PDB file of all heavy atoms in Angstrom:
ATOM      1  N   LEU A   5     118.402  78.611 120.424  1.00 31.00           N
ATOM      2  CA  LEU A   5     117.344  79.537 120.763  1.00 31.00           C
ATOM      3  C   LEU A   5     117.401  80.812 119.994  1.00 31.00           C
ATOM      4  O   LEU A   5     118.458  81.324 119.793  1.00 31.00           O
ATOM      5  CB  LEU A   5     117.531  79.850 122.278  1.00 31.00           C
ATOM      6  CG  LEU A   5     116.343  80.597 122.938  1.00 31.00           C
ATOM      7  CD1 LEU A   5     115.117  79.686 123.045  1.00 31.00           C
ATOM      8  CD2 LEU A   5     116.777  81.017 124.389  1.00 31.00           C
ATOM      9  N   ALA A  18     111.243  78.637 112.448  1.00 43.00           N
ATOM     10  CA  ALA A  18     111.802  78.414 113.763  1.00 43.00           C
ATOM     11  C   ALA A  18     110.771  78.424 114.873  1.00 43.00           C
ATOM     12  O   ALA A  18     110.931  77.871 115.892  1.00 43.00           O
ATOM     13  CB  ALA A  18     112.831  79.531 114.010  1.00 43.00           C
ATOM     14  N   LEU A  19     109.642  79.108 114.664  1.00 43.00           N
ATOM     15  CA  LEU A  19     108.575  79.163 115.659  1.00 43.00           C
ATOM     16  C   LEU A  19     108.021  77.806 115.934  1.00 43.00           C
ATOM     17  O   LEU A  19     107.422  77.605 116.993  1.00 43.00           O
ATOM     18  CB  LEU A  19     107.469  80.072 115.202  1.00 43.00           C
ATOM     19  CG  LEU A  19     107.931  81.593 115.099  1.00 43.00           C
ATOM     20  CD1 LEU A  19     106.796  82.416 114.452  1.00 43.00           C
ATOM     21  CD2 LEU A  19     108.221  82.151 116.417  1.00 43.00           C
ATOM     22  N   PHE A  20     108.131  76.876 115.029  1.00 42.00           N
ATOM     23  CA  PHE A  20     107.517  75.586 115.210  1.00 42.00           C
ATOM     24  C   PHE A  20     108.518  74.405 115.223  1.00 42.00           C
ATOM     25  O   PHE A  20     108.155  73.245 115.114  1.00 42.00           O
ATOM     26  CB  PHE A  20     106.546  75.325 114.007  1.00 42.00           C
ATOM     27  CG  PHE A  20     105.592  76.443 113.897  1.00 42.00           C
ATOM     28  CD1 PHE A  20     105.653  77.345 112.900  1.00 42.00           C
ATOM     29  CD2 PHE A  20     104.537  76.545 114.869  1.00 42.00           C
ATOM     30  CE1 PHE A  20     104.751  78.395 112.785  1.00 42.00           C
ATOM     31  CE2 PHE A  20     103.655  77.628 114.769  1.00 42.00           C
ATOM     32  CZ  PHE A  20     103.755  78.546 113.731  1.00 42.00           C
ATOM     33  N   MET A  21     109.819  74.722 115.375  1.00 38.00           N
ATOM     34  CA  MET A  21     110.812  73.690 115.300  1.00 38.00           C
ATOM     35  C   MET A  21     110.737  72.721 116.492  1.00 38.00           C
ATOM     36  O   MET A  21     110.210  73.066 117.521  1.00 38.00           O
ATOM     37  CB  MET A  21     112.255  74.298 115.216  1.00 38.00           C
ATOM     38  CG  MET A  21     112.697  74.985 116.498  1.00 38.00           C
ATOM     39  SD  MET A  21     114.372  75.620 116.309  1.00 38.00           S
ATOM     40  CE  MET A  21     113.975  77.191 115.655  1.00 38.00           C
ATOM     41  N   SER A  37     111.653  87.630 122.963  1.00 98.00           N
ATOM     42  CA  SER A  37     110.838  87.836 121.814  1.00 98.00           C
ATOM     43  C   SER A  37     109.788  86.683 121.701  1.00 98.00           C
ATOM     44  O   SER A  37     109.882  85.675 122.438  1.00 98.00           O
ATOM     45  CB  SER A  37     111.708  87.747 120.545  1.00 98.00           C
ATOM     46  OG  SER A  37     112.254  86.443 120.357  1.00 98.00           O
ATOM     47  N   ILE A  38     108.797  86.894 120.812  1.00 98.00           N
ATOM     48  CA  ILE A  38     107.811  85.914 120.585  1.00 98.00           C
ATOM     49  C   ILE A  38     108.431  84.598 120.106  1.00 98.00           C
ATOM     50  O   ILE A  38     108.051  83.471 120.594  1.00 98.00           O
ATOM     51  CB  ILE A  38     106.705  86.409 119.613  1.00 98.00           C
ATOM     52  CG1 ILE A  38     105.910  87.515 120.242  1.00 98.00           C
ATOM     53  CG2 ILE A  38     105.838  85.271 119.142  1.00 98.00           C
ATOM     54  CD1 ILE A  38     104.929  88.176 119.354  1.00 98.00           C
ATOM     55  N   ALA A  39     109.461  84.753 119.290  1.00 97.00           N
ATOM     56  CA  ALA A  39     110.184  83.541 118.765  1.00 97.00           C
ATOM     57  C   ALA A  39     110.783  82.753 119.915  1.00 97.00           C
ATOM     58  O   ALA A  39     110.823  81.549 119.982  1.00 97.00           O
ATOM     59  CB  ALA A  39     111.221  83.908 117.763  1.00 97.00           C
ATOM     60  N   GLU A  40     111.405  83.482 120.866  1.00 97.00           N
ATOM     61  CA  GLU A  40     112.026  82.828 122.067  1.00 97.00           C
ATOM     62  C   GLU A  40     111.030  82.208 122.971  1.00 97.00           C
ATOM     63  O   GLU A  40     111.243  81.123 123.482  1.00 97.00           O
ATOM     64  CB  GLU A  40     112.905  83.892 122.787  1.00 97.00           C
ATOM     65  CG  GLU A  40     114.177  84.279 122.054  1.00 97.00           C
ATOM     66  CD  GLU A  40     114.819  85.485 122.623  1.00 97.00           C
ATOM     67  OE1 GLU A  40     114.159  86.356 123.180  1.00 97.00           O
ATOM     68  OE2 GLU A  40     116.080  85.555 122.453  1.00 97.00           O
ATOM     69  N   LEU A  41     109.897  82.850 123.159  1.00 98.00           N
ATOM     70  CA  LEU A  41     108.809  82.288 123.910  1.00 98.00           C
ATOM     71  C   LEU A  41     108.307  81.024 123.219  1.00 98.00           C
ATOM     72  O   LEU A  41     108.059  79.955 123.929  1.00 98.00           O
ATOM     73  CB  LEU A  41     107.673  83.292 124.072  1.00 98.00           C
ATOM     74  CG  LEU A  41     108.021  84.529 124.901  1.00 98.00           C
ATOM     75  CD1 LEU A  41     106.824  85.474 124.885  1.00 98.00           C
ATOM     76  CD2 LEU A  41     108.420  84.190 126.341  1.00 98.00           C
ATOM     77  N   GLN A  42     108.110  81.028 121.985  1.00 97.00           N
ATOM     78  CA  GLN A  42     107.690  79.833 121.241  1.00 97.00           C
ATOM     79  C   GLN A  42     108.699  78.708 121.378  1.00 97.00           C
ATOM     80  O   GLN A  42     108.325  77.567 121.519  1.00 97.00           O
ATOM     81  CB  GLN A  42     107.438  80.162 119.765  1.00 97.00           C
ATOM     82  CG  GLN A  42     106.165  80.957 119.476  1.00 97.00           C
ATOM     83  CD  GLN A  42     104.884  80.187 119.748  1.00 97.00           C
ATOM     84  OE1 GLN A  42     104.927  78.963 120.056  1.00 97.00           O
ATOM     85  NE2 GLN A  42     103.757  80.848 119.625  1.00 97.00           N
ATOM     86  N   GLN A  43     109.950  79.067 121.229  1.00 96.00           N
ATOM     87  CA  GLN A  43     111.016  78.014 121.375  1.00 96.00           C
ATOM     88  C   GLN A  43     111.025  77.327 122.759  1.00 96.00           C
ATOM     89  O   GLN A  43     111.091  76.142 122.790  1.00 96.00           O
ATOM     90  CB  GLN A  43     112.399  78.545 121.135  1.00 96.00           C
ATOM     91  CG  GLN A  43     113.519  77.661 121.268  1.00 96.00           C
ATOM     92  CD  GLN A  43     113.443  76.469 120.313  1.00 96.00           C
ATOM     93  OE1 GLN A  43     113.307  76.709 119.121  1.00 96.00           O
ATOM     94  NE2 GLN A  43     113.449  75.303 120.822  1.00 96.00           N
ATOM     95  N   ALA A  44     110.818  78.158 123.784  1.00 97.00           N
ATOM     96  CA  ALA A  44     110.746  77.632 125.094  1.00 97.00           C
ATOM     97  C   ALA A  44     109.518  76.752 125.256  1.00 97.00           C
ATOM     98  O   ALA A  44     109.613  75.720 125.941  1.00 97.00           O
ATOM     99  CB  ALA A  44     110.749  78.757 126.150  1.00 97.00           C
ATOM    100  N   MET A  45     108.398  77.063 124.764  1.00 98.00           N
ATOM    101  CA  MET A  45     107.223  76.234 124.802  1.00 98.00           C
ATOM    102  C   MET A  45     107.436  74.973 123.993  1.00 98.00           C
ATOM    103  O   MET A  45     106.893  73.949 124.302  1.00 98.00           O
ATOM    104  CB  MET A  45     106.014  77.010 124.417  1.00 98.00           C
ATOM    105  CG  MET A  45     105.565  78.036 125.414  1.00 98.00           C
ATOM    106  SD  MET A  45     103.961  78.781 125.112  1.00 98.00           S
ATOM    107  CE  MET A  45     104.360  80.054 123.920  1.00 98.00           C
ATOM    108  N   SER A  46     108.151  75.100 122.882  1.00 96.00           N
ATOM    109  CA  SER A  46     108.434  73.865 122.054  1.00 96.00           C
ATOM    110  C   SER A  46     109.327  72.881 122.770  1.00 96.00           C
ATOM    111  O   SER A  46     109.165  71.669 122.667  1.00 96.00           O
ATOM    112  CB  SER A  46     109.054  74.313 120.752  1.00 96.00           C
ATOM    113  OG  SER A  46     108.134  75.027 119.912  1.00 96.00           O
ATOM    114  N   ASP A  47     110.305  73.416 123.482  1.00 95.00           N
ATOM    115  CA  ASP A  47     111.276  72.494 124.152  1.00 95.00           C
ATOM    116  C   ASP A  47     110.814  72.047 125.497  1.00 95.00           C
ATOM    117  O   ASP A  47     111.546  71.293 126.163  1.00 95.00           O
ATOM    118  CB  ASP A  47     112.687  73.096 124.162  1.00 95.00           C
ATOM    119  CG  ASP A  47     112.849  74.325 125.082  1.00 95.00           C
ATOM    120  OD1 ASP A  47     112.127  74.389 126.123  1.00 95.00           O
ATOM    121  OD2 ASP A  47     113.745  75.110 124.809  1.00 95.00           O
ATOM    122  N   GLY A  48     109.703  72.469 125.934  1.00 96.00           N
ATOM    123  CA  GLY A  48     109.098  72.028 127.154  1.00 96.00           C
ATOM    124  C   GLY A  48     109.531  72.765 128.425  1.00 96.00           C
ATOM    125  O   GLY A  48     109.136  72.379 129.541  1.00 96.00           O
ATOM    126  N   LEU A  50     108.787  75.804 129.098  1.00 98.00           N
ATOM    127  CA  LEU A  50     107.784  76.838 129.411  1.00 98.00           C
ATOM    128  C   LEU A  50     106.453  76.328 128.937  1.00 98.00           C
ATOM    129  O   LEU A  50     106.380  75.673 127.845  1.00 98.00           O
ATOM    130  CB  LEU A  50     108.123  78.188 128.697  1.00 98.00           C
ATOM    131  CG  LEU A  50     107.207  79.341 128.860  1.00 98.00           C
ATOM    132  CD1 LEU A  50     107.205  79.839 130.279  1.00 98.00           C
ATOM    133  CD2 LEU A  50     107.517  80.480 127.842  1.00 98.00           C
ATOM    134  N   LEU A  55     103.402  81.131 131.418  1.00 98.00           N
ATOM    135  CA  LEU A  55     103.750  82.449 130.780  1.00 98.00           C
ATOM    136  C   LEU A  55     102.633  83.461 131.218  1.00 98.00           C
ATOM    137  O   LEU A  55     102.963  84.575 131.626  1.00 98.00           O
ATOM    138  CB  LEU A  55     103.822  82.303 129.344  1.00 98.00           C
ATOM    139  CG  LEU A  55     104.167  83.521 128.509  1.00 98.00           C
ATOM    140  CD1 LEU A  55     105.523  84.013 128.917  1.00 98.00           C
ATOM    141  CD2 LEU A  55     104.064  83.275 127.007  1.00 98.00           C
ATOM    142  N   ARG A  94      98.949  72.031 122.000  1.00 98.00           N
ATOM    143  CA  ARG A  94     100.373  71.916 121.671  1.00 98.00           C
ATOM    144  C   ARG A  94     100.834  70.464 121.891  1.00 98.00           C
ATOM    145  O   ARG A  94     101.540  69.881 121.086  1.00 98.00           O
ATOM    146  CB  ARG A  94     101.209  72.885 122.425  1.00 98.00           C
ATOM    147  CG  ARG A  94     102.648  72.925 122.060  1.00 98.00           C
ATOM    148  CD  ARG A  94     103.496  73.874 122.908  1.00 98.00           C
ATOM    149  NE  ARG A  94     103.073  75.260 122.688  1.00 98.00           N
ATOM    150  CZ  ARG A  94     103.574  76.090 121.776  1.00 98.00           C
ATOM    151  NH1 ARG A  94     104.499  75.597 120.955  1.00 98.00           N
ATOM    152  NH2 ARG A  94     103.152  77.299 121.662  1.00 98.00           N
ATOM    153  N   LEU A  99      99.333  73.073 116.349  1.00 97.00           N
ATOM    154  CA  LEU A  99      99.875  74.445 116.512  1.00 97.00           C
ATOM    155  C   LEU A  99      99.105  75.358 115.578  1.00 97.00           C
ATOM    156  O   LEU A  99      99.118  75.164 114.405  1.00 97.00           O
ATOM    157  CB  LEU A  99     101.344  74.506 116.222  1.00 97.00           C
ATOM    158  CG  LEU A  99     102.201  73.702 117.299  1.00 97.00           C
ATOM    159  CD1 LEU A  99     103.676  73.689 116.764  1.00 97.00           C
ATOM    160  CD2 LEU A  99     102.173  74.448 118.633  1.00 97.00           C
ATOM    161  N   GLY A 101      99.585  78.698 114.963  1.00 95.00           N
ATOM    162  CA  GLY A 101     100.389  79.682 114.242  1.00 95.00           C
ATOM    163  C   GLY A 101     101.428  80.213 115.187  1.00 95.00           C
ATOM    164  O   GLY A 101     101.609  79.743 116.290  1.00 95.00           O
ATOM    165  N   PRO A 102     102.077  81.275 114.707  1.00 97.00           N
ATOM    166  CA  PRO A 102     103.204  81.854 115.498  1.00 97.00           C
ATOM    167  C   PRO A 102     102.802  82.540 116.799  1.00 97.00           C
ATOM    168  O   PRO A 102     103.637  82.865 117.558  1.00 97.00           O
ATOM    169  CB  PRO A 102     103.865  82.828 114.536  1.00 97.00           C
ATOM    170  CG  PRO A 102     102.730  83.191 113.567  1.00 97.00           C
ATOM    171  CD  PRO A 102     101.939  81.935 113.399  1.00 97.00           C
ATOM    172  N   LEU A 103     101.505  82.755 117.040  1.00 98.00           N
ATOM    173  CA  LEU A 103     101.039  83.363 118.249  1.00 98.00           C
ATOM    174  C   LEU A 103     100.429  82.378 119.173  1.00 98.00           C
ATOM    175  O   LEU A 103      99.820  82.718 120.172  1.00 98.00           O
ATOM    176  CB  LEU A 103     100.028  84.469 117.931  1.00 98.00           C
ATOM    177  CG  LEU A 103     100.570  85.643 117.116  1.00 98.00           C
ATOM    178  CD1 LEU A 103      99.505  86.656 116.951  1.00 98.00           C
ATOM    179  CD2 LEU A 103     101.796  86.271 117.680  1.00 98.00           C
ATOM    180  N   HIS A 104     100.561  81.050 118.904  1.00 98.00           N
ATOM    181  CA  HIS A 104      99.906  80.007 119.779  1.00 98.00           C
ATOM    182  C   HIS A 104     100.461  80.112 121.164  1.00 98.00           C
ATOM    183  O   HIS A 104     101.598  80.019 121.473  1.00 98.00           O
ATOM    184  CB  HIS A 104     100.281  78.632 119.196  1.00 98.00           C
ATOM    185  CG  HIS A 104      99.491  77.513 119.838  1.00 98.00           C
ATOM    186  ND1 HIS A 104      98.524  76.838 119.256  1.00 98.00           N
ATOM    187  CD2 HIS A 104      99.623  76.956 121.081  1.00 98.00           C
ATOM    188  CE1 HIS A 104      98.064  75.892 120.050  1.00 98.00           C
ATOM    189  NE2 HIS A 104      98.717  75.955 121.195  1.00 98.00           N
ATOM    190  N   GLY A 105      99.467  80.419 122.068  1.00 98.00           N
ATOM    191  CA  GLY A 105      99.795  80.441 123.514  1.00 98.00           C
ATOM    192  C   GLY A 105     100.361  81.772 123.956  1.00 98.00           C
ATOM    193  O   GLY A 105     100.831  81.919 125.065  1.00 98.00           O
ATOM    194  N   ILE A 106     100.432  82.755 123.054  1.00 98.00           N
ATOM    195  CA  ILE A 106     101.074  84.110 123.421  1.00 98.00           C
ATOM    196  C   ILE A 106      99.981  85.082 123.949  1.00 98.00           C
ATOM    197  O   ILE A 106      98.940  85.325 123.314  1.00 98.00           O
ATOM    198  CB  ILE A 106     101.679  84.710 122.123  1.00 98.00           C
ATOM    199  CG1 ILE A 106     102.805  83.778 121.641  1.00 98.00           C
ATOM    200  CG2 ILE A 106     102.260  86.096 122.425  1.00 98.00           C
ATOM    201  CD1 ILE A 106     103.955  83.576 122.561  1.00 98.00           C
ATOM    202  N   ALA A 146      94.516  82.429 115.789  1.00 98.00           N
ATOM    203  CA  ALA A 146      95.934  82.098 115.661  1.00 98.00           C
ATOM    204  C   ALA A 146      96.546  81.639 116.983  1.00 98.00           C
ATOM    205  O   ALA A 146      97.717  81.314 117.028  1.00 98.00           O
ATOM    206  CB  ALA A 146      96.683  83.397 115.245  1.00 98.00           C
TER     207      ALA A 146
END
Side-chain angles (χ1 to χ4, degrees):
L5 191 67
L19 293 173
F20 306 105
M21 69 177 88
S37 68
I38 291 174
E40 288 169 330
L41 296 175
Q42 286 291 355
Q43 177 61 53
M45 287 190 279
S46 292
D47 68 28
L50 178 68
L55 184 61
R94 185 183 294 272
L99 291 173
L103 298 183
H104 188 107
I106 299 296

